[in-house]
Each structure stands twice: as structure tokens, then as C-alpha cells.
Amino acid sequence: MQGNFRQDLEKEKQLQRFLDIQYHTHLKQYSFKREKDTQLQLKGVDLWLMHRKKGTTFAIDEKAQLDYINDDLPTFAFELNYLKNNIPKKGWFLDSQKQTDFYALVTAIYQDEPNNYTSCKITMVNKSLLLHALYQLNIDLSTIKRPTTHGMHLIKGLRPKTQGYLYLSKKNKWEQPLNLILRLSYLEKLKVAKRLV
């Protein structure tokens, strides 16, 4: 278990270096700074974006699909809740303690050799706009009951093939997260997300 944790941390560091190059290349209006404070990182702040002219600052939480290297998934999983000591806890998407303004969803991560990343997609998602859009669709995520069976579950207000659904990872993840799976194209259609790369 400890070995995997160290490997995951090393993967994240390697990916961060690659992402910094992407931000430097594609964020023309913004400068950025990585957050080194562990407490702030736990509160959903991996880096800060500062608008060069307006001076506004945004807290960014990077979410990378590191379990799907060399694969281009059309969806992203937003964690609603998980189990800790058999008690449901709020996931990062609904945790009010998080200070996140935007998610940087890193998908389609490709590498030609271990930890040597060659390309990826980065989709910037405005957290409050997404929550508001779901609320407008009468989707109240705070009242969703945890399903009892592993796998996909429909959610009223979303079409599963083109928009989204719930997924409970009961058999393959120790914390048994309940995720809201949303299509990246649907996030752009809702006008809550924009592709950076």
C-alpha cells in the first residue's frame, strides 16, 4: 500500500511539471503559482491563477485521470460522497470546506514511456456555475441517497448516454465513492466549462 502511495505521488509530481508547461503556454491572460501549503491543498487549492490585468485570483483544484493513462475518456467523475469507517462523508465536489473556484480536469493523458507525458486535455470547470446549473435542472445533489448496489444508477434530470449518471464503486474501491459522472461535452454545452488544451 505504501509503495503505491509513493508511486502515485511521483506520478503526480511528474504530471505537475508537464501541466506547468501547458499553463505557461496556453494561459495568455493569467500568471499562475503552485500552492505548497499542504493544508490549502487539502482544501482544494493546487494552484492559483492571477489575471494579469484585472488582478483577480482564482483557486484551482487539479483533478487528473491518472488511472486512465493513454486513454481518452469522454466523461469525468465528480465525487459526491465516500465511506470512512463505514460512515458516509461528503466528497470533494460537495465539501463546503473546499476553497476551489475552478477544477482543472486533466484527461486524455498520454505518455510514450513511464512518467514521460507527451499530451493531455485540460478542461477548466467553474465549480459554482456547475452547481448552479445542476440546481436549475432540479438536481439537488445534497439530497441524493447512496445506492446500495455497485455500478451505474440513473439520476432524474440527466440523460445517461449524453449527459450524466451516478456511479457507485462498491466492488473496486476501498472508500466506495459515489460519483456523478458527467460528459465533458455536456459541461461545455452547459457553459460551465472551457477547454484550455
Side-chain angles (χ1 to χ4, degrees), residues 62-65 73-79 92 103-107 123 125 165 179-184 187:
E62 287 175 325
K63 298 292 183 188
Q65 289 180 338
L73 299 184
T75 57
F76 207 91
F78 292 80
E79 186 185 63
W92 52 261
Y103 297 112
L105 306 183
V106 187
T107 60
T123 305
V125 178
Y165 54 88
N179 292 315
L180 174 64
I181 310 293
L182 293 173
R183 282 199 164 255
L184 294 167
L187 292 172

Side-chain angles (χ1 to χ4, degrees), residues 9-23 34 62-66 69 106 109-110 115 117 119-120:
L9 273 181
E10 190 48 43
K11 276 187 199 173
E12 281 181 21
K13 280 184 188 169
Q14 291 283 349
L15 182 61
Q16 281 177 359
R17 287 193 273 275
F18 180 70
L19 291 175
D20 286 351
I21 295 166
Q22 305 309 308
Y23 297 139
R34 284 224 165 260
E62 287 175 325
K63 298 292 183 188
Q65 289 180 338
L66 281 167
I69 299 294
V106 187
I109 304 165
Y110 284 88
N115 294 334
Y117 300 105
S119 67
C120 70

Side-chain angles (χ1 to χ4, degrees), residues 66-145:
L66 281 167
D67 290 342
Y68 302 96
I69 299 294
N70 295 328
D71 204 352
D72 188 358
L73 299 184
T75 57
F76 207 91
F78 292 80
E79 186 185 63
L80 302 183
N81 59 54
Y82 63 95
L83 294 185
K84 187 175 182 181
N85 299 325
N86 236 15
I87 298 164
K89 301 279 185 185
K90 280 189 179 174
W92 52 261
F93 187 47
L94 297 180
D95 186 348
S96 59
Q97 300 301 305
K98 303 287 188 199
Q99 296 178 12
T100 308
D101 296 311
F102 285 84
Y103 297 112
L105 306 183
V106 187
T107 60
I109 304 165
Y110 284 88
Q111 61 185 25
D112 52 10
E113 57 187 69
N115 294 334
N116 184 21
Y117 300 105
T118 54
S119 67
C120 70
K121 292 177 183 175
I122 304 172
T123 305
M124 302 299 283
V125 178
N126 184 311
K127 179 184 178 179
S128 61
L129 284 183
L130 174 54
L131 285 167
H132 182 70
L134 293 169
Y135 181 76
Q136 292 291 101
L137 291 165
N138 292 318
I139 299 169
D140 185 357
L141 297 173
S142 61
T143 61
I144 288 175
K145 289 189 175 130

